[in-house]
Amino acid sequence: MTRKMSSEEFEKLHEMYRSLYEELKLMPDKAQKSHGEERKRLVRTFDERHGEAEEVLQGMEEELRVAPPSYRNSMSTKLRMYRRDLGKLQRDMKNSAPGFGSSYNTVPGNHGIYSSQNQHSTHLQSQRALLLQGTDALNNASQSIERSQRIAAETEQIGTDIIEELGEQREQLDRSRNRLANTGENLSRSRKILRAMSRRLVTNKLLLGIIILMELAILGAVIYLKFFRK
């Protein structure tokens, strides 16, 4: 996590420095071709941008101190190259604008080319802190949105699975109800068959009783006629 945060912050500062450097490297030629107030304005702008670049490099040095050793070498190389480039630009500006670094020291209220560096440094640090806070808040919000979307997708999938399962259970219940209805019809038919069989059994018993009685009557009559009528 430390490696990731250090490298990301270093890259952010690197982009800020490149933007400032691209602006600074055009100023010596412009100052050489300009005169009077235009040249003074360019010198003041160079002074401000140069201070901003120095502040960015200080921030990169702070990131370098907490960076892992494997990443620190490449960061150190870039820092040395950037400071060398800044020094060269400052020398070019002095050559292009005579009096650069001295004439502005005599202006009342101005204490050198870096007179406003502390104030501007504080302002830049404040802006950078706000930028980092905004970036962190945006990253946190993005992660929260991603988590919410993932949870919503999972919830939707669970809901779909539940609906499908409920549909299958409904079909099973319908089949069970149909089987119960068929079973009820079969039971009704079975009861009817049993009642019919019961009636036939009673009828058969009655017929059997009548037949037995008739046979007994016939037997009694035969005995009477054979033995007692003589």
Side-chain angles (χ1 to χ4, degrees):
M1 184 66 179
T2 302
R3 176 176 297 185
K4 181 178 180 182
M5 290 301 294
S6 297
S7 61
E8 287 182 354
E9 180 62 21
F10 188 86
E11 291 302 324
K12 292 177 184 176
L13 294 172
H14 172 259
E15 293 299 326
M16 294 172 62
Y17 172 80
R18 295 304 303 174
S19 177
L20 290 169
Y21 180 78
E22 292 299 324
E23 185 177 358
L24 284 169
K25 72 179 183 179
L26 300 176
M27 291 185 181
D29 289 339
K30 291 182 179 180
Q32 188 175 14
K33 297 176 181 178
S34 61
H35 303 279
E37 292 299 325
E38 179 65 19
R39 176 176 290 182
K40 292 180 181 179
R41 185 187 63 79
L42 284 172
V43 170
R44 284 194 298 268
T45 302
F46 183 89
D47 183 17
E48 293 173 358
R49 297 296 181 267
H50 190 278
E52 293 176 8
E54 286 286 348
E55 182 63 26
V56 171
L57 291 181
Q58 290 177 7
M60 294 170 73
E61 288 179 346
E62 293 176 2
E63 293 298 324
L64 178 63
R65 284 193 288 269
V66 298
S70 60
Y71 193 73
R72 194 177 299 165
N73 292 333
S74 61
M75 293 169 67
S76 299
T77 302
K78 287 184 178 180
L79 271 176
R80 287 194 296 271
M81 181 179 65
Y82 292 162
R83 287 203 175 277
R84 183 190 63 197
D85 293 341
L86 272 186
K88 182 178 182 301
L89 283 178
Q90 191 173 20
R91 290 191 298 272
D92 292 343
M93 192 63 179
K94 288 180 179 179
N95 295 331
S96 300
F100 176 75
S102 59
S103 61
Y104 289 93
N105 288 336
T106 60
V107 178
N110 191 353
H111 300 285
I113 190 170
Y114 300 117
S115 61
S116 62
Q117 182 175 352
N118 292 333
Q119 181 180 359
H120 186 74
S121 173
T122 303
H123 180 65
L124 183 62
Q125 288 179 347
S126 176
Q127 286 184 335
R128 188 178 66 177
L130 290 175
L131 178 62
L132 293 177
Q133 290 177 359
T135 303
D136 291 339
L138 182 60
N139 291 334
N140 293 334
S142 299
Q143 293 176 359
S144 178
I145 292 173
E146 290 177 359
R147 287 195 298 268
S148 299
Q149 290 176 343
R150 185 169 59 252
I151 293 173
E154 293 175 354
T155 303
E156 182 179 0
Q157 182 61 40
I158 292 173
T160 302
D161 294 339
I162 291 174
I163 291 174
E164 292 177 356
E165 184 176 355
L166 289 175
E168 293 175 357
Q169 291 180 357
R170 180 180 179 181
E171 292 177 356
Q172 293 176 356
L173 289 174
D174 290 338
R175 288 194 295 270
S176 299
R177 184 173 59 188
N178 293 333
R179 285 197 294 270
L180 287 175
N182 294 332
T183 303
E185 293 176 357
N186 293 332
L187 288 175
S188 297
R189 287 195 295 269
S190 298
R191 283 195 294 269
K192 291 178 181 178
I193 292 172
L194 288 174
R195 284 196 295 268
M197 292 176 63
S198 177
R199 286 194 297 268
R200 289 195 190 97
L201 182 60
V202 172
T203 303
N204 291 336
K205 287 181 178 180
L206 289 175
L207 291 175
L208 181 60
I210 293 172
I211 291 171
I212 292 172
L213 290 176
M214 289 177 66
E215 289 179 350
L216 289 175
I218 293 171
L219 182 60
V222 170
I223 293 172
Y224 174 76
L225 292 174
K226 185 174 182 180
F227 297 99
F228 295 102
R229 192 163 181 179
K230 293 179 179 181

